[in-house]
Amino acid sequence: MRLSPHFSLAEFTYSDTAIKLKINNTPANGHIMKLTHLCENVLEPIRTHFNRPVRITSGYRSPALCVAIGSKKTSQHAKGEAADFEITGISNYELAKWIRDNIIFDQLILENYIRGNPNSGWIHCSYRANRLRKETLTYSRRTYFNGLVA
């Protein structure tokens, strides 16, 4: 099932952990609708601007999968509102800056980025139609910092 021209539901639900532990990671229709909004409003504009595939490293997570990986059941991933991703060949810091300056989102987190290593870490971005805070954070060394810190 396609969520948008460049993104499929399968890439948002794939999880090695879910497969290994036999966890059902199938989203409900409401989650699929939210994933579609995330694709249309965040990921497609990124894909269009950079003209490169966006690799989803973590998309939808069922509550059981969240528990299995040590995340909260209330995570925006469990609501179908968030994705973790990267673009090969684009610095995650530069990608985060472009998103911050050009996309309307709920939350943007540059996670585990190491200055001088452009391929380190990943981007977490969420979209929630009735809450678009444009909250921008950096997560490093088990600590959240306001803004993009490199």
Side-chain angles (χ1 to χ4, degrees):
M1 172 184 187
R2 303 248 25 112
L3 298 171
S4 68
H6 294 100
F7 298 95
S8 70
L9 181 60
E11 66 190 304
F12 276 86
T13 59
Y14 180 83
S15 165
D16 286 333
T17 302
I19 292 167
K20 179 181 173 186
L21 299 178
K22 297 182 171 65
I23 295 172
N24 181 356
N25 198 40
T26 305
N29 287 338
H31 298 124
I32 293 171
M33 182 180 70
K34 290 177 182 180
L35 289 169
T36 300
H37 292 296
L38 175 66
C39 289
E40 292 171 347
N41 294 287
V42 174
L43 298 171
E44 283 293 342
I46 294 168
R47 172 70 167 79
T48 298
H49 174 77
F50 288 97
N51 197 29
R52 294 183 185 207
V54 175
R55 185 172 60 90
I56 306 300
T57 56
S58 182
Y60 174 77
R61 297 181 200 148
S62 67
L65 180 56
C66 285
V67 170
I69 66 167
S71 180
K72 296 178 183 177
K73 289 184 192 181
T74 57
S75 161
Q76 284 189 291
H77 287 276
K79 297 174 183 176
E81 297 171 345
D84 297 343
F85 55 91
E86 300 178 90
I87 298 177
T88 301
I90 304 293
S91 160
N92 285 314
Y93 179 69
E94 293 302 318
L95 177 55
K97 286 193 323 185
W98 188 87
I99 294 167
R100 177 197 63 199
D101 296 342
N102 296 281
I103 300 288
I104 302 298
F105 55 85
D106 182 42
Q107 187 179 62
L108 170 67
I109 308 173
L110 175 62
E111 298 198 46
N112 296 312
Y113 178 79
I114 299 168
R115 185 177 21 187
N117 184 353
N119 296 318
S120 63
W122 62 90
I123 304 294
H124 165 98
C125 196
S126 65
Y127 183 88
R128 185 173 174 181
N130 60 351
R131 184 178 77 175
L132 297 168
R133 299 173 289 172
K134 286 202 70 145
E135 179 180 45
T136 303
L137 303 167
T138 298
Y139 179 80
S140 180
R141 298 183 184 142
R142 299 182 183 191
T143 304
Y144 287 95
F145 302 93
N146 286 319
L148 295 178
V149 180

